[in-house]
Structures are given as structure tokens and as C-alpha cells.
Amino acid sequence: MLLGGISLGLAAVPLTLALSTSAGPVNGDGTSNVTHGNFTYNARQFLLNGEPFQIIGGQMDPQRIPKQYWRSRLRMARAMGLNTIFSYIFWNNLEPRRGRWDFDDRNDLVTFFQTVQEEGLFAVLRPGPYICGEHEWGGFPAWLSEIPGMAVRENNGPFLAATKSYLDRLGSELRSQQITRGGPILMTQLENEYGSFGKDKLYLEAHAQLLRANFETPLYTTDGGGKSYLEGGQLHGVLAVADGDPKTAFAARDKYVTDPTSLGPQLNGEYYVHWFDDWHVNVTHNSLDGNQAGQERVVKDLEWVLRGNNSFNIYMFHGGTNFAFDSGSVWAEGRTRAVTTSYDYGAPLDETGRPTKLYHKLRDLISRHVPAGSIPDVPSMPGLARVDEFSLRPLLSLFDARSSTPDKESAEPVTMESLGQSYGYLLYEHVVEVDASGVLSPGDEARDRVIVYVNEVKVGVIDRTYLTLASVKVGVKRGDILRLLVENVGRVDYSQKLRDQRKGIVGNVTIGRDVLRGWSMYSLPMSELPSLVVGGEQFEVNDGPVFYTGSFELPDGAAVDETRDTLLSFPAGVKGQVWVNGINMGRYWTIGPQQSLYVPGCYLKPSGSSNDVVVLELEPKPGVQLTGRSVAVRKWFNNPDPDAP
């Protein structure tokens, strides 16, 4: 191992580090269960301060949950019987611009892990830098694309240098939260399912050395339960664990990992209760509600793990929300699967923090395998607040909210990243010099969704979420204005396409065989709302994107955070983004399956006060009133896509 730059060698079992500590996670009776602060393992068991320890874990990512709700969600985890929280860390949220760090609000990781400990739980750190997780570019910040010579997840100098900067800073923040220093963090994950991407052991070893320079806890790798996955992702001296169905995963780990220094106790690194949702007309919500057989499958699988004195991580225990533009996408079967704002994942604790039927079944299961009385009672949760229907009025065109001068002018279009932009929208404007007609092609491929306008009239949408792209035919004459509004619907977080996730237009725009030269680019990241949105004068809606505003009040008695939780829907909307009291709640899209947005009560004002809503509707319908309303019981369904190819 490497600690503080001193090589200690690699052994079959990670070195036990024993540092005196006076604080640590607590048992159900309130007594401390940390005296010397060390965590290691032998061939069969994890060892906490030398005593056998079975990890009964669940995944919960702090950056997907309002900081105000961390404690209540952790209490729900303890009340289900969990003793360990696994957490991804999103690098792109911590360093949105190179060298500019943000550890406030949902990024306040020290407070999160302190709260984990205060609630009697341990933690496993999954820092990446690549974390997958259906998150924007798997956690990579968009600015990596602009570093010369960059090749992510490879033994590449620029990538390792950027990774070192990230892990050094993360280590400086979280070093005190390790068990060796009195904190709750037991282990740290090396990379993330690397065997699904590559098999470069030099890269894995370089990455491991960066982790060891910053973290004192044992390292582990997690990969899918297949030969190529486990052989590619395993590293000498690092515990290997497998994901998926536990019987298959455990057997595969012991069959395909032959290096004895990577063998040890069995941990199901990600036990999938269900799966993520993506926006599409024919995708249904992934849930076990009402699925008795599915619930019984989960209970049976985890009971088998517990009886074998093995360990698991439920992915997800609580999925949370992809606020703002955080949701990523997955490239699969020739199309982009854009992940929904909700990361509910069919989890035992739903997106709003309310327990499901599966939650209670798992609590019953775990209670049979832990000491009597060690699991606290389930905290009561209030119902969701009801909001009267409210109207939204159009105030400002998105095109009028752009800067008065282009952010860049050039012969060829440029990418989002080259303008210093990560998320949102980029408007490309071209004044036609020569008449042209034919099929429009926006660069080498549509990245990701392109709305095409000629003289402010929408003529079509090219959407990468479809296997077959729409064929948008245009006819333009000299002097016409061609606009292409390109939306980043989430950088791909999985597959070999991960290597190049520049957004906007890459390559030339053509109409038929004619290459269009001469472009003005306007950056529309939506990191801040235009000041003209509030208090402007209403105008007539046409084909272009429009900001709408409105407000609502909560009912009497909605005074405490979770009594104010609500779900909002915008049934007349097609696609867009919603802000409540200035906070970006995320995307909505009529195609579903998600038809309502979770609005945490901690972001709302108590009854009697007005909550301001701003909606950016990308495809407004002239003459149609846009309204917002609350949903008493969440429903998941699909609508026809008005832009289907």
C-alpha cells in the first residue's frame, strides 16, 4: 500500500490501520462500537476492530437529496435495518469549473458523513472519478473534454493529472471521516465496474496509488458477474466483489478472480432491486409496487446472502432526484436513453423519502438476522401537500433572453464545451447566403436533441433518443434565418461512447449536399434565470421556447419541511425545465413515464406565503393555457410524442 508517499507493499489482506479514536458509529442501544478504529478482512469475513462485521448496506447519494433531508433519510435507513450507507460522489458537481470547488449545500460531504455517523451508521465511499450511476457523464466534469490529449478512464497523463487534483481535494475534505480517524467510512472503491470498459492494469494501479495517497481504508473493486468484467476490473492486492444476482455474482467472483490477493469475503457490490427509468413513449416505470413476485424475489435473494453471513449493498436503497441538469443518459441499442429527473429506481424508500411495501418486507427480513431490539422504529412521514391548480403566463422568449451579441462567431459551429458551457442549451444561428433545400444534418450526429427553426417557425425536431432519427427537410432562401436549438439531454455515462461526450454540434451542418458556413453561437446554460422573466409583460406565444411564470400557496398547516413536500405536474407542457423559488427542480417531458416532479418541502415557503414557479417550455402550444397542479398519488404513464420521427 502507499500511505503518505511511503510504500508498504501489497498483501493478501489489506493492512490493518489502528489509530486511537474516541468517537464512532453507535449500536442500537447508543453504545460506541468503535474503540481503535480499524476495518479489514480475512478470507471469509469483514472485521471491524477485529470482530466479524456483516455489511447490511444500501446506496444513497447525498448529492441527489436535499441537505435538509439527509438526516431523515438516514434514519429511515437505520429503521429498515441497514448498518452501512454506500455513496457515489459526483466530481462534476464538486468542480463545475476547473479549479473552482463547491462543497456547499448538497455538496457538503463532511456534514453528510458526520450525519451518517451521528445516526449510528457506517459508510462506504465510492468516489470515482467515474461513477456511472446514470449521472451526467458518469460524474466527469464537462471541461475535461477541452484538455488537450484527454482520454478518460485510461492510463493517460492528462486524465490522471486531473484525477489526482480531484482525489487530492476530496481526500483533504474527507480524510477525517475515515474510521481510522474516528469517522464512519470503512472502505473506498477503486474506479467503478472498470471491467465493463477496459482491462488496463497500469491505469488501475495508477488510480489505486492516487487513492492510497489520500485514503487509509481498504480498497475494493466492483464489477458485473461475468468473466470479462471481473478479469478486466480486478487489481492485484485489491478486494474484488461482484454485482447483480448474488448467487451468480458470488460464484463468478470465486471462479474468475484467481489472484489470491483479490479474494476475501463476499460482498454483493450492487444488488439491483429494479432499474432506472428513461424518457420514451414506450418505457414503463420500474417499480415493484403491486408486484408480489418481484418483492418476494428481492426478499429471497437477500435472505440467502444474510444466511450465508455475506454482505450486500442494495442499489438503490433511496434513489433521490436528478435535480437541474444532473441526469445522464445511457447509450444502448443504437439510441440515447435519457434518464428521467426522478431516480426513484424502484427503491424501498421512494423518491419522496416515503417507505414502500418492499421497505417493510426488507425490515422484517433484516430484523430476523440482527439482535432483537437493534432496529429502531420507523419514523412517521406526513402525506404529500396538495396545491390548488395555478395558471402560468408567458413572459419571455428564450431567444430574447440570449446575449445581445453572440458568444462566438465562426465559419463552422463549435461545441458547448469550447464556450465554457456544460449543460442546458446552445443556439446556433445562420443567415442563409445561398438558396438550399433538402434534409438537414446537424454535424456528425444529433447531440442530443435539435429543434430546427426557419424564420422563427419550427420545422422539425431531431431526437437521438430514437433509434431512427427524424428526417427534417428544409427549404431556405437567401436572407432567411436558420436556427438550431441544441439541448444536452444528459451526457452518456456508460458504453464506449463515454470517450467523446462533447455536446452541441460537432462537424458541419448540411442541407442536402450543401455545407452551411457562417454561424453565430449563443450560450444558454440556464445556470441562472434571466432577470426579465419576473415582472415582464405578457406576449403572444409562437413556435419558439418561452418562459412562463406563476405562483402557488401551500394549504394551511404545511409548516414543517416534509409536510410541504409535493408533486407538481404540467399536463399541457411538452418538454422543458422547472424552477421553484429559484431552484432548478429538473426536466419534464410529456412522453413519460415520469409525469410529475418531486418538489421537496424544504425548498418551499410555509402556508400563507407565495412560491414562485418559472417554467421554460421548449415547445409551447399557441392558444393553450399552461397550468401547474399537484398530484395526490403519483402516477406514471406515457403520452404520444408530438415530435416522433
Side-chain angles (χ1 to χ4, degrees):
M1 300 182 79
L2 186 69
L3 290 175
I6 301 174
S7 177
L8 300 178
L10 293 170
V13 177
L15 181 68
T16 296
L17 298 168
L19 299 180
S20 177
T21 177
S22 59
V26 295
N27 295 311
D29 60 4
T31 60
S32 172
N33 58 13
V34 175
T35 53
H36 300 292
N38 64 78
F39 184 78
T40 186
Y41 56 86
N42 58 30
R44 289 285 303 162
Q45 296 174 310
F46 291 108
L47 302 171
L48 176 62
N49 299 322
E51 298 296 325
F53 182 77
Q54 185 176 31
I55 296 175
I56 304 175
Q59 183 90 14
M60 195 177 104
D61 304 327
Q63 290 157 293
R64 283 185 165 120
I65 305 163
K67 179 179 179 179
Q68 297 90 327
Y69 286 172
W70 286 346
R71 190 175 299 277
S72 67
R73 304 298 190 259
L74 291 167
R75 286 180 176 171
M76 295 299 288
R78 279 279 289 122
M80 199 180 83
L82 302 186
N83 60 23
T84 305
I85 297 297
F86 288 66
S87 294
Y88 278 144
I89 306 300
F90 305 150
W91 177 12
N92 66 309
N93 290 1
L94 297 180
E95 193 180 10
R97 289 185 174 272
R98 192 175 187 182
R100 298 183 185 178
W101 298 91
D102 179 3
F103 285 92
D104 294 328
D105 197 36
R106 294 196 301 270
N107 296 328
D108 184 0
L109 301 176
V110 171
T111 296
F112 174 75
F113 287 109
Q114 287 174 341
T115 309
V116 167
Q117 187 172 45
E118 290 166 3
E119 293 303 322
L121 292 156
F122 293 96
V124 171
L125 184 66
R126 310 183 73 187
Y130 169 76
I131 53 87
C132 189
E134 291 72 56
H135 183 79
E136 233 275 338
W137 205 13
F140 291 144
W143 50 260
L144 283 182
S145 293
E146 292 303 294
I147 297 177
M150 175 62 61
V152 299
R153 303 186 80 187
E154 294 184 16
N155 191 35
N156 167 270
F159 179 63
L160 290 174
T163 296
K164 181 180 186 303
S165 173
Y166 161 62
L167 291 176
D168 286 353
R169 181 57 191 268
L170 188 67
S172 69
E173 292 285 329
L174 295 182
R175 195 165 290 119
S176 64
Q177 299 307 305
Q178 300 173 102
I179 189 170
T180 53
R181 306 201 179 197
I185 298 175
L186 303 176
M187 291 198 301
T188 303
Q189 182 178 300
L190 167 63
E191 240 276 355
N192 186 71
E193 298 177 332
Y194 182 68
S196 300
F197 182 84
K199 54 183 179 180
D200 185 348
K201 303 301 180 183
L202 290 177
Y203 162 63
L204 286 178
E205 180 57 37
H207 189 181
Q209 294 293 352
L210 294 177
L211 287 171
R212 291 177 180 132
N214 286 287
F215 299 101
E216 303 159 349
T217 57
L219 302 182
Y220 77 101
T221 59
T222 187
D223 285 284
K227 186 176 187 293
S228 63
Y229 301 146
L230 286 160
E231 289 180 348
Q234 171 267 341
L235 181 66
H236 181 77
V238 177
L239 176 67
V241 307
D243 295 344
D245 170 74
K247 290 182 180 179
T248 302
F250 290 176
R253 199 286 301 264
D254 285 347
K255 181 177 181 180
Y256 300 125
V257 176
T258 57
D259 183 341
T261 72
S262 292
L263 294 175
Q266 291 281 14
L267 165 65
N268 194 187
E270 291 184 0
Y271 175 76
Y272 304 110
V273 171
H274 218 302
W275 208 239
F276 65 89
D277 292 332
D278 64 289
W279 303 107
H280 212 257
V281 292
N282 58 4
V283 171
T284 57
H285 173 51
N286 288 303
S287 172
L288 292 181
D289 287 349
N291 183 345
Q292 187 71 19
Q295 294 176 28
E296 290 175 357
R297 181 263 304 171
V298 173
V299 171
K300 183 178 179 180
D301 284 350
L302 295 182
E303 184 171 29
W304 181 83
V305 176
L306 290 169
R307 283 182 175 176
N309 291 317
N310 296 310
S311 298
F312 60 76
N313 168 35
I314 297 171
Y315 193 96
M316 299 287 297
F317 159 69
H318 175 50
T321 306
N322 293 313
F323 292 108
F325 299 105
D326 275 355
S327 57
S329 62
V330 176
W331 180 261
E333 301 174 344
R335 71 178 186 90
T336 296
R337 297 183 63 185
V339 178
T340 56
T341 299
S342 170
Y343 199 61
D344 188 87
Y345 220 96
L349 197 69
D350 74 14
E351 184 188 3
T352 75
R354 273 73 180 170
T356 64
K357 290 181 179 179
L358 179 62
Y359 174 99
H360 293 288
K361 289 185 177 182
L362 291 178
R363 184 176 190 272
D364 290 342
L365 166 66
I366 295 169
S367 67
R368 298 195 296 270
H369 292 269
V370 298
S374 63
I375 300 178
D377 293 338
V378 179
S380 62
M381 288 290 290
L384 298 173
R386 296 292 303 272
V387 173
D388 292 336
E389 185 171 12
F390 57 96
S391 297
L392 294 147
R393 62 191 186 102
L395 287 182
L396 179 71
S397 164
L398 175 65
F399 297 157
D400 291 337
R402 67 187 185 184
S403 59
S404 57
T405 57
D407 292 280
K408 187 174 181 64
E409 293 180 304
S410 64
E412 290 79 29
V414 300
T415 64
M416 273 190 183
E417 296 79 7
S418 69
L419 297 177
Q421 180 181 347
S422 299
Y423 318 114
Y425 316 90
L426 185 52
L427 177 64
Y428 296 83
E429 190 172 280
H430 170 76
V431 179
V432 177
E433 296 180 347
V434 179
D435 294 1
S437 63
V439 175
L440 183 140
S441 296
D444 60 352
E445 61 177 345
R447 304 188 181 198
D448 295 314
R449 194 167 187 271
V450 185
I451 308 179
V452 182
Y453 305 86
V454 175
N455 296 330
E456 300 187 0
V457 176
K458 187 180 78 173
V459 295
V461 177
I462 304 171
D463 188 344
R464 187 75 261 181
T465 65
Y466 281 93
L467 179 61
T468 301
L469 296 181
S471 179
V472 177
K473 297 180 180 179
V474 298
V476 292
K477 298 183 179 298
R478 180 181 176 85
D480 285 347
I481 298 176
L482 173 69
R483 289 191 177 106
L484 306 178
L485 181 65
V486 181
E487 177 186 4
N488 167 18
V489 300
R491 289 178 177 83
V492 167
D493 78 312
Y494 181 79
S495 86
Q496 295 302 315
K497 273 192 172 285
L498 187 81
R499 299 175 188 273
D500 178 11
Q501 280 301 297
R502 293 171 295 164
K503 292 304 177 186
I505 294 175
V506 180
N508 286 313
V509 177
T510 60
I511 296 179
R513 296 183 179 181
D514 297 321
V515 176
L516 305 185
R517 301 192 184 278
W519 292 90
S520 298
M521 274 68 66
Y522 296 87
S523 182
L524 299 164
M526 295 297 104
S527 52
E528 295 182 1
L529 285 170
S531 59
L532 292 178
V533 168
V534 178
E537 295 182 1
Q538 185 166 333
F539 70 98
E540 185 176 349
V541 173
N542 52 34
D543 277 357
V546 172
F547 287 101
Y548 290 76
T549 64
S551 64
F552 66 87
E553 292 186 8
L554 289 170
D556 292 341
V560 181
D561 284 350
E562 284 163 340
T563 66
R564 302 200 296 258
D565 286 356
T566 192
L567 297 165
L568 292 182
S569 69
F570 302 89
V574 175
K575 191 178 194 303
Q577 206 80 14
V578 177
W579 290 259
V580 178
N581 294 329
I583 300 172
N584 193 335
M585 295 292 114
R587 297 180 173 96
Y588 68 89
W589 201 345
T590 188
I591 58 177
Q594 182 182 346
Q595 296 293 336
S596 57
L597 283 171
Y598 171 52
V599 180
C602 58
Y603 296 154
L604 298 179
K605 300 172 184 177
S607 53
S609 299
S610 179
N611 293 281
D612 297 323
V613 178
V614 175
V615 174
L616 172 57
E617 169 56 54
L618 296 177
E619 300 182 50
K621 303 171 185 175
V624 175
Q625 175 68 56
L626 189 63
T627 62
R629 63 181 65 165
S630 67
V631 179
V633 178
R634 194 166 210 176
K635 295 181 179 179
W636 306 79
F637 59 92
N638 299 83
N639 293 311
D641 186 355
D643 303 308

PDB file of all heavy atoms in Angstrom, residues 541-560:
ATOM      1  N   VAL A 541     -47.654  33.850 -27.696  1.00  0.00           N
ATOM      2  CA  VAL A 541     -46.808  32.671 -27.869  1.00  0.00           C
ATOM      3  C   VAL A 541     -46.786  32.263 -29.336  1.00  0.00           C
ATOM      4  O   VAL A 541     -47.816  32.241 -30.011  1.00  0.00           O
ATOM      5  CB  VAL A 541     -47.336  31.502 -27.005  1.00  0.00           C
ATOM      6  CG1 VAL A 541     -46.580  30.212 -27.309  1.00  0.00           C
ATOM      7  CG2 VAL A 541     -47.226  31.846 -25.530  1.00  0.00           C
ATOM      8  N   ASN A 542     -45.569  31.917 -29.813  1.00  0.00           N
ATOM      9  CA  ASN A 542     -45.458  31.343 -31.156  1.00  0.00           C
ATOM     10  C   ASN A 542     -44.693  30.031 -31.055  1.00  0.00           C
ATOM     11  O   ASN A 542     -44.823  29.319 -30.069  1.00  0.00           O
ATOM     12  CB  ASN A 542     -44.800  32.334 -32.124  1.00  0.00           C
ATOM     13  CG  ASN A 542     -43.485  32.877 -31.580  1.00  0.00           C
ATOM     14  OD1 ASN A 542     -42.757  32.171 -30.894  1.00  0.00           O
ATOM     15  ND2 ASN A 542     -43.195  34.136 -31.894  1.00  0.00           N
ATOM     16  N   ASP A 543     -43.868  29.700 -32.034  1.00  0.00           N
ATOM     17  CA  ASP A 543     -43.199  28.397 -32.044  1.00  0.00           C
ATOM     18  C   ASP A 543     -41.964  28.330 -31.155  1.00  0.00           C
ATOM     19  O   ASP A 543     -41.474  27.240 -30.865  1.00  0.00           O
ATOM     20  CB  ASP A 543     -42.775  28.037 -33.480  1.00  0.00           C
ATOM     21  CG  ASP A 543     -43.919  27.427 -34.270  1.00  0.00           C
ATOM     22  OD1 ASP A 543     -44.994  27.234 -33.694  1.00  0.00           O
ATOM     23  OD2 ASP A 543     -43.720  27.145 -35.464  1.00  0.00           O
ATOM     24  N   GLY A 544     -41.416  29.454 -30.771  1.00  0.00           N
ATOM     25  CA  GLY A 544     -40.158  29.440 -30.035  1.00  0.00           C
ATOM     26  C   GLY A 544     -40.324  29.123 -28.556  1.00  0.00           C
ATOM     27  O   GLY A 544     -41.414  29.262 -27.990  1.00  0.00           O
ATOM     28  N   PRO A 545     -39.240  28.692 -27.880  1.00  0.00           N
ATOM     29  CA  PRO A 545     -39.283  28.385 -26.447  1.00  0.00           C
ATOM     30  C   PRO A 545     -39.652  29.615 -25.635  1.00  0.00           C
ATOM     31  O   PRO A 545     -39.234  30.739 -25.946  1.00  0.00           O
ATOM     32  CB  PRO A 545     -37.859  27.936 -26.131  1.00  0.00           C
ATOM     33  CG  PRO A 545     -37.264  27.569 -27.452  1.00  0.00           C
ATOM     34  CD  PRO A 545     -37.909  28.451 -28.454  1.00  0.00           C
ATOM     35  N   VAL A 546     -40.430  29.401 -24.572  1.00  0.00           N
ATOM     36  CA  VAL A 546     -40.974  30.520 -23.798  1.00  0.00           C
ATOM     37  C   VAL A 546     -40.823  30.253 -22.302  1.00  0.00           C
ATOM     38  O   VAL A 546     -41.028  29.128 -21.835  1.00  0.00           O
ATOM     39  CB  VAL A 546     -42.469  30.735 -24.140  1.00  0.00           C
ATOM     40  CG1 VAL A 546     -43.106  31.757 -23.205  1.00  0.00           C
ATOM     41  CG2 VAL A 546     -42.627  31.181 -25.580  1.00  0.00           C
ATOM     42  N   PHE A 547     -40.468  31.301 -21.560  1.00  0.00           N
ATOM     43  CA  PHE A 547     -40.513  31.268 -20.098  1.00  0.00           C
ATOM     44  C   PHE A 547     -41.919  31.646 -19.637  1.00  0.00           C
ATOM     45  O   PHE A 547     -42.472  32.671 -20.065  1.00  0.00           O
ATOM     46  CB  PHE A 547     -39.523  32.264 -19.502  1.00  0.00           C
ATOM     47  CG  PHE A 547     -38.084  31.853 -19.627  1.00  0.00           C
ATOM     48  CD1 PHE A 547     -37.281  32.402 -20.611  1.00  0.00           C
ATOM     49  CD2 PHE A 547     -37.529  30.931 -18.751  1.00  0.00           C
ATOM     50  CE1 PHE A 547     -35.949  32.044 -20.734  1.00  0.00           C
ATOM     51  CE2 PHE A 547     -36.200  30.562 -18.860  1.00  0.00           C
ATOM     52  CZ  PHE A 547     -35.403  31.116 -19.853  1.00  0.00           C
ATOM     53  N   TYR A 548     -42.486  30.828 -18.772  1.00  0.00           N
ATOM     54  CA  TYR A 548     -43.773  31.100 -18.140  1.00  0.00           C
ATOM     55  C   TYR A 548     -43.531  31.302 -16.645  1.00  0.00           C
ATOM     56  O   TYR A 548     -42.610  30.709 -16.068  1.00  0.00           O
ATOM     57  CB  TYR A 548     -44.732  29.921 -18.304  1.00  0.00           C
ATOM     58  CG  TYR A 548     -45.256  29.686 -19.687  1.00  0.00           C
ATOM     59  CD1 TYR A 548     -44.456  29.090 -20.665  1.00  0.00           C
ATOM     60  CD2 TYR A 548     -46.568  30.014 -20.027  1.00  0.00           C
ATOM     61  CE1 TYR A 548     -44.952  28.838 -21.940  1.00  0.00           C
ATOM     62  CE2 TYR A 548     -47.070  29.761 -21.297  1.00  0.00           C
ATOM     63  CZ  TYR A 548     -46.258  29.177 -22.242  1.00  0.00           C
ATOM     64  OH  TYR A 548     -46.758  28.931 -23.497  1.00  0.00           O
ATOM     65  N   THR A 549     -44.376  32.106 -16.011  1.00  0.00           N
ATOM     66  CA  THR A 549     -44.278  32.279 -14.564  1.00  0.00           C
ATOM     67  C   THR A 549     -45.652  32.159 -13.919  1.00  0.00           C
ATOM     68  O   THR A 549     -46.684  32.412 -14.540  1.00  0.00           O
ATOM     69  CB  THR A 549     -43.688  33.661 -14.189  1.00  0.00           C
ATOM     70  OG1 THR A 549     -44.576  34.687 -14.629  1.00  0.00           O
ATOM     71  CG2 THR A 549     -42.321  33.852 -14.786  1.00  0.00           C
ATOM     72  N   GLY A 550     -45.635  31.767 -12.673  1.00  0.00           N
ATOM     73  CA  GLY A 550     -46.849  31.650 -11.872  1.00  0.00           C
ATOM     74  C   GLY A 550     -46.457  31.453 -10.426  1.00  0.00           C
ATOM     75  O   GLY A 550     -45.267  31.514 -10.071  1.00  0.00           O
ATOM     76  N   SER A 551     -47.425  31.207  -9.582  1.00  0.00           N
ATOM     77  CA  SER A 551     -47.127  31.000  -8.160  1.00  0.00           C
ATOM     78  C   SER A 551     -48.241  30.173  -7.531  1.00  0.00           C
ATOM     79  O   SER A 551     -49.345  30.064  -8.070  1.00  0.00           O
ATOM     80  CB  SER A 551     -46.973  32.334  -7.428  1.00  0.00           C
ATOM     81  OG  SER A 551     -48.189  33.053  -7.431  1.00  0.00           O
ATOM     82  N   PHE A 552     -47.930  29.610  -6.375  1.00  0.00           N
ATOM     83  CA  PHE A 552     -48.928  28.856  -5.620  1.00  0.00           C
ATOM     84  C   PHE A 552     -48.639  29.000  -4.132  1.00  0.00           C
ATOM     85  O   PHE A 552     -47.519  29.346  -3.729  1.00  0.00           O
ATOM     86  CB  PHE A 552     -48.928  27.372  -6.021  1.00  0.00           C
ATOM     87  CG  PHE A 552     -47.669  26.627  -5.669  1.00  0.00           C
ATOM     88  CD1 PHE A 552     -47.515  26.033  -4.416  1.00  0.00           C
ATOM     89  CD2 PHE A 552     -46.633  26.501  -6.590  1.00  0.00           C
ATOM     90  CE1 PHE A 552     -46.352  25.335  -4.091  1.00  0.00           C
ATOM     91  CE2 PHE A 552     -45.468  25.817  -6.262  1.00  0.00           C
ATOM     92  CZ  PHE A 552     -45.333  25.234  -5.014  1.00  0.00           C
ATOM     93  N   GLU A 553     -49.650  28.740  -3.334  1.00  0.00           N
ATOM     94  CA  GLU A 553     -49.502  28.708  -1.886  1.00  0.00           C
ATOM     95  C   GLU A 553     -49.829  27.316  -1.384  1.00  0.00           C
ATOM     96  O   GLU A 553     -50.656  26.602  -1.960  1.00  0.00           O
ATOM     97  CB  GLU A 553     -50.433  29.733  -1.218  1.00  0.00           C
ATOM     98  CG  GLU A 553     -50.069  31.171  -1.494  1.00  0.00           C
ATOM     99  CD  GLU A 553     -50.932  32.145  -0.707  1.00  0.00           C
ATOM    100  OE1 GLU A 553     -51.712  31.679   0.164  1.00  0.00           O
ATOM    101  OE2 GLU A 553     -50.836  33.358  -0.969  1.00  0.00           O
ATOM    102  N   LEU A 554     -49.163  26.931  -0.318  1.00  0.00           N
ATOM    103  CA  LEU A 554     -49.437  25.641   0.299  1.00  0.00           C
ATOM    104  C   LEU A 554     -50.659  25.747   1.203  1.00  0.00           C
ATOM    105  O   LEU A 554     -50.999  26.834   1.678  1.00  0.00           O
ATOM    106  CB  LEU A 554     -48.227  25.179   1.111  1.00  0.00           C
ATOM    107  CG  LEU A 554     -47.012  24.761   0.281  1.00  0.00           C
ATOM    108  CD1 LEU A 554     -45.807  24.575   1.187  1.00  0.00           C
ATOM    109  CD2 LEU A 554     -47.283  23.489  -0.497  1.00  0.00           C
ATOM    110  N   PRO A 555     -51.322  24.631   1.464  1.00  0.00           N
ATOM    111  CA  PRO A 555     -52.506  24.667   2.335  1.00  0.00           C
ATOM    112  C   PRO A 555     -52.141  24.968   3.780  1.00  0.00           C
ATOM    113  O   PRO A 555     -50.972  24.861   4.182  1.00  0.00           O
ATOM    114  CB  PRO A 555     -53.082  23.253   2.188  1.00  0.00           C
ATOM    115  CG  PRO A 555     -51.911  22.413   1.799  1.00  0.00           C
ATOM    116  CD  PRO A 555     -51.049  23.285   0.943  1.00  0.00           C
ATOM    117  N   ASP A 556     -53.105  25.334   4.572  1.00  0.00           N
ATOM    118  CA  ASP A 556     -52.889  25.607   5.992  1.00  0.00           C
ATOM    119  C   ASP A 556     -52.284  24.387   6.668  1.00  0.00           C
ATOM    120  O   ASP A 556     -52.643  23.243   6.381  1.00  0.00           O
ATOM    121  CB  ASP A 556     -54.209  25.965   6.683  1.00  0.00           C
ATOM    122  CG  ASP A 556     -54.756  27.304   6.210  1.00  0.00           C
ATOM    123  OD1 ASP A 556     -53.964  28.084   5.649  1.00  0.00           O
ATOM    124  OD2 ASP A 556     -55.969  27.552   6.391  1.00  0.00           O
ATOM    125  N   GLY A 557     -51.357  24.652   7.568  1.00  0.00           N
ATOM    126  CA  GLY A 557     -50.746  23.575   8.336  1.00  0.00           C
ATOM    127  C   GLY A 557     -49.458  23.047   7.738  1.00  0.00           C
ATOM    128  O   GLY A 557     -48.756  22.272   8.380  1.00  0.00           O
ATOM    129  N   ALA A 558     -49.122  23.442   6.513  1.00  0.00           N
ATOM    130  CA  ALA A 558     -47.884  22.978   5.888  1.00  0.00           C
ATOM    131  C   ALA A 558     -46.736  23.861   6.351  1.00  0.00           C
ATOM    132  O   ALA A 558     -46.320  24.790   5.677  1.00  0.00           O
ATOM    133  CB  ALA A 558     -48.010  23.006   4.370  1.00  0.00           C
ATOM    134  N   ALA A 559     -46.242  23.567   7.553  1.00  0.00           N
ATOM    135  CA  ALA A 559     -45.250  24.433   8.173  1.00  0.00           C
ATOM    136  C   ALA A 559     -43.886  23.777   8.297  1.00  0.00           C
ATOM    137  O   ALA A 559     -42.859  24.437   8.236  1.00  0.00           O
ATOM    138  CB  ALA A 559     -45.727  24.873   9.562  1.00  0.00           C
ATOM    139  N   VAL A 560     -43.848  22.456   8.477  1.00  0.00           N
ATOM    140  CA  VAL A 560     -42.590  21.738   8.644  1.00  0.00           C
ATOM    141  C   VAL A 560     -42.164  21.193   7.287  1.00  0.00           C
ATOM    142  O   VAL A 560     -43.007  20.845   6.460  1.00  0.00           O
ATOM    143  CB  VAL A 560     -42.753  20.593   9.674  1.00  0.00           C
ATOM    144  CG1 VAL A 560     -41.452  19.851   9.879  1.00  0.00           C
ATOM    145  CG2 VAL A 560     -43.277  21.151  10.985  1.00  0.00           C
TER     146      VAL A 560
END
